[in-house]
Amino acid sequence: MRAFLLSISLAALAFPAFAADTTSTRPNVLFIAIDDLKPLLGCYGTSWIQSPNIDRLAAKGTVFTANYCQVAFCAPTRFSLLTGLRPDSTGMYLNPDQSQDLLRTRLPDVVTLPQQFKNHGYITHPLHKVFDGRTVDQGHDAASWTVPYGPWEMAPGEKPAPGGYQDPATKTRLAEALKQGKPISGPATEACDIADNAYHDGGVAHTAAKRIREFAKKEQPFFLAVGFVKPHLPFIAPKKYWDLYDRAALPLAPFQQLPQGSPNDLAFYSNSGELRAYSDIPKTGLIPEALQRELVHGYAACVSYIDAQVGLLMQTLADCGVADDTIICFWGDHGWHLGEHGHWGKLTNYEDAARAPLIISAPGVAGGKRVTALTEFLDVYPTLCELAGLPIPAQVEGKSLVPLMRGEDVPLHKAAVSQMSHGRGKNGSMGWSLRTPRYRYIEWRSADFSSDKPVFGSHAQDTELYDYKSDPQERENLADKTDHATLVKQHQALFDQLLPHLPTRE
């Protein structure tokens, strides 16, 4: 694999950096990554959410309505998108806790998406969470950037505590526990009446706006990657964004049970453990309705908070006179269950975790399009290269979405492939999901993760099949139904076709 990637990287590097007079005609790229954002946006049909700036971006760009992540977890899905490689090619499935999971240790010669732009004359710069920090060096993968990864500027005054909290009582409690060496967590929500940039994401947006003003004066085009963390837990946003919503009127998940007949011990990870780690959340049992409403309220407030930051960046592009010369790629790294199936968090292969927003606006491409064809985050790398007139490295496993953006009726994928691992060491499992236009087929196999390269079994431990035409809420697994046997076999054949690297099915 390393030799293969080395040859690819050398081929990519063989293209010389373009001269200034050539690069000056190339479009800029504003690359906006959002953490834990499901398609809970007005432009995706959620009428009660307030996301006017993202909706405005959608109106001038292309909205991909059936877009899916590769893994519903922060580190592996970003690792995949930014390298153009599937998780089974990168070997990154979970948020890592071992040094060998660093990008340049695992794939030392891979050419990342921003690195490809850097190699072709672009100013490249990251702010906040673009890669997951656990997968890269302290320079946020220094090889990818011409302007190093660095701090963002916050509003004057008290800086947030770990977790992003600004509430004085919470900060005092956390500081006292730290002095005493006691483990303690903060609350799941916060709504202080403070400026946007007194919280981290507002500081990131203000710093990104400053970078746009700097880079817009240069002769070189820029690739500015801006990573916003909200609506990741804890759900923290300035009070004015909470005030946009009437909590009593917010909808709750309509189906909060496990799917009938599903392998729940495999399909759901950690009993919503990410949420339950917060101080005001019950450690077991159902989440009470009043608390559910608070959590949905907090998530919605965070979405509107981030929407305002996106608006600031779009306005800065316009003020600098470069809006018409800039590609904007907006994406949420994966979805998030807000109580669907009784689950709060990501880490499933189901629709609420695997489906994620993707909006791309580009000069010379008419806006206002809604693409219903299946797409994957792997497609972002080749799409941005084609839009900018850059070569697409041979390593890239996705497909350019430019034909779809131009209105061509070209189905690129028979299915969108997501996957999720369960467990570590020798006795793990891996579930691969095929999302077709109507169905989702999931196959679970044994996985030995004890060595650097996982070993997958040839026998299906369990299978799942959901029909989104008759059962959009995934109430029942149909895989064992005799009247669906032919359909299961058809999806298994497609599974074998799309995942030929797996052992031959027993």
Side-chain angles (χ1 to χ4, degrees):
M1 181 66 176
R2 290 188 179 182
F4 169 68
L5 289 175
L6 176 60
S7 66
I8 291 171
S9 65
L10 290 174
L13 290 171
F15 290 91
F18 287 89
D21 61 342
T22 303
T23 57
S24 64
T25 65
R26 292 185 180 277
N28 307 305
V29 179
L30 177 59
F31 186 75
I32 304 174
I34 317 291
D35 210 345
D36 286 12
L37 178 64
K38 65 192 306 177
L40 199 71
L41 298 164
C43 55
Y44 277 85
T46 305
S47 59
W48 57 268
I49 204 80
Q50 298 201 35
S51 55
N53 295 294
I54 299 170
D55 297 345
R56 183 162 54 91
L57 173 62
K60 62 176 288 190
T62 301
V63 179
F64 297 91
T65 65
N67 181 70
Y68 293 88
C69 68
Q70 267 43 73
V71 180
F73 211 12
C74 298
T77 199
R78 291 165 183 262
F79 204 91
S80 176
L81 185 152
L82 289 159
T83 61
L85 296 167
R86 292 196 179 277
D88 283 342
S89 297
T90 68
M92 177 70 69
Y93 303 113
L94 293 171
N95 291 345
D97 55 10
Q98 300 180 37
S99 61
Q100 63 260 37
D101 286 323
L102 287 171
L103 171 62
R104 296 298 169 181
T105 303
R106 186 174 285 276
L107 301 169
D109 303 307
V110 74
V111 177
T112 68
L113 171 61
Q115 188 179 6
Q116 181 71 347
F117 279 78
K118 173 186 172 183
N119 291 345
H120 290 82
Y122 274 70
I123 300 168
T124 59
H125 177 55
L127 282 167
H128 213 191
K129 190 174 181 180
V130 181
F131 287 98
D132 187 292
R134 290 162 288 195
T135 67
V136 289
D137 56 51
Q138 292 185 352
H140 216 65
D141 190 48
S144 292
W145 314 105
T146 63
V147 179
Y149 179 80
W152 47 94
E153 300 171 10
M154 304 290 291
E158 290 290 326
K159 302 310 176 192
Y165 300 102
Q166 282 283 34
D167 181 82
T170 299
K171 293 173 77 171
T172 299
R173 183 165 61 88
L174 292 174
E176 185 60 32
L178 183 63
K179 285 181 184 178
Q180 298 177 12
K182 294 180 180 178
I184 192 168
S185 61
T189 62
E190 183 179 285
C192 291
D193 192 4
I194 56 179
D196 283 13
N197 59 336
Y199 284 133
H200 283 298
D201 283 321
V204 170
H206 279 71
T207 305
K210 181 178 179 180
R211 295 289 179 269
I212 290 172
R213 290 191 290 270
E214 293 171 0
F215 297 158
K217 298 175 183 177
K218 307 285 188 181
E219 291 186 359
Q220 292 173 274
F222 62 80
F223 182 106
L224 176 62
V226 184
F228 294 118
V229 170
K230 300 305 160 194
H232 192 290
L233 280 166
F235 299 150
I236 292 175
K239 179 178 179 295
K240 63 183 176 181
Y241 299 105
W242 290 75
D243 292 344
L244 295 173
Y245 298 94
D246 175 6
R247 183 177 297 184
L250 294 176
L252 301 182
F255 183 70
Q256 299 193 20
Q257 290 76 43
L258 299 175
Q260 182 181 341
S262 69
N264 299 323
D265 57 331
L266 292 173
F268 293 93
Y269 190 92
S270 78
N271 187 31
S272 305
E274 181 183 10
L275 174 65
R276 295 185 188 277
Y278 288 87
S279 60
D280 53 350
I281 305 297
K283 304 307 176 190
T284 59
L286 298 175
I287 304 298
E289 181 176 330
L291 183 52
Q292 288 192 38
R293 290 195 180 278
E294 179 182 345
L295 293 170
V296 173
H297 191 178
Y299 190 95
C302 287
V303 172
S304 294
Y305 173 43
I306 295 304
D307 177 80
Q309 311 319 306
V310 172
L312 173 61
L313 300 186
M314 292 173 64
Q315 186 60 51
T316 304
L317 290 173
D319 292 345
C320 292
V322 296
D324 293 337
D325 303 315
T326 301
I327 299 165
I328 302 178
C329 179
F330 172 96
W331 57 287
D333 60 358
H334 46 69
W336 217 83
H337 288 256
L338 281 169
E340 295 88 359
H341 297 309
H343 184 64
W344 295 82
K346 50 244 186 190
L347 278 171
T348 78
N349 275 325
Y350 296 131
E351 191 77 356
D352 284 284
R355 184 169 171 249
L358 175 63
I359 304 169
I360 302 177
S361 170
V365 181
K369 294 189 181 68
R370 299 180 65 82
V371 170
T372 59
L374 294 165
T375 61
E376 302 179 317
F377 274 144
L378 280 174
D379 302 328
V380 169
Y381 193 143
T383 301
L384 295 184
C385 285
E386 182 172 350
L387 288 171
L390 272 58
I392 300 170
Q395 78 197 36
V396 172
E397 295 180 312
K399 300 178 180 179
S400 173
L401 302 175
V402 171
L404 298 177
M405 295 177 66
R406 291 179 175 154
E408 298 177 26
D409 185 13
V410 184
L412 299 180
H413 301 288
K414 294 180 180 179
V417 181
S418 303
Q419 61 191 105
M420 191 190 82
S421 61
H422 190 92
R424 300 177 186 256
K426 288 183 173 294
N427 299 315
S429 298
M430 180 67 76
W432 291 267
S433 163
L434 303 188
R435 179 58 158 97
T436 62
R438 176 169 174 173
Y439 298 98
R440 168 172 275 109
Y441 172 76
I442 304 172
E443 182 167 312
W444 293 90
R445 296 191 184 190
S446 65
D448 180 353
F449 297 113
S450 61
S451 60
D452 186 55
K453 185 175 181 180
V455 178
F456 300 119
S458 57
H459 173 71
Q461 293 176 313
D462 235 310
T463 55
E464 301 177 68
L465 180 69
Y466 300 96
D467 182 346
Y468 290 94
K469 182 177 181 180
S470 63
D471 181 22
Q473 295 170 357
E474 303 157 331
R475 293 171 179 263
E476 184 178 13
N477 174 17
L478 303 173
D480 291 335
K481 303 292 183 182
T482 55
D483 56 343
H484 286 74
T486 299
L487 195 60
V488 168
K489 288 184 178 179
Q490 290 171 351
H491 280 80
Q492 287 177 337
L494 181 59
F495 183 99
D496 296 340
Q497 178 186 343
L498 296 179
L499 301 167
H501 61 282
L502 296 182
T504 303
R505 177 188 310 281
E506 287 186 356

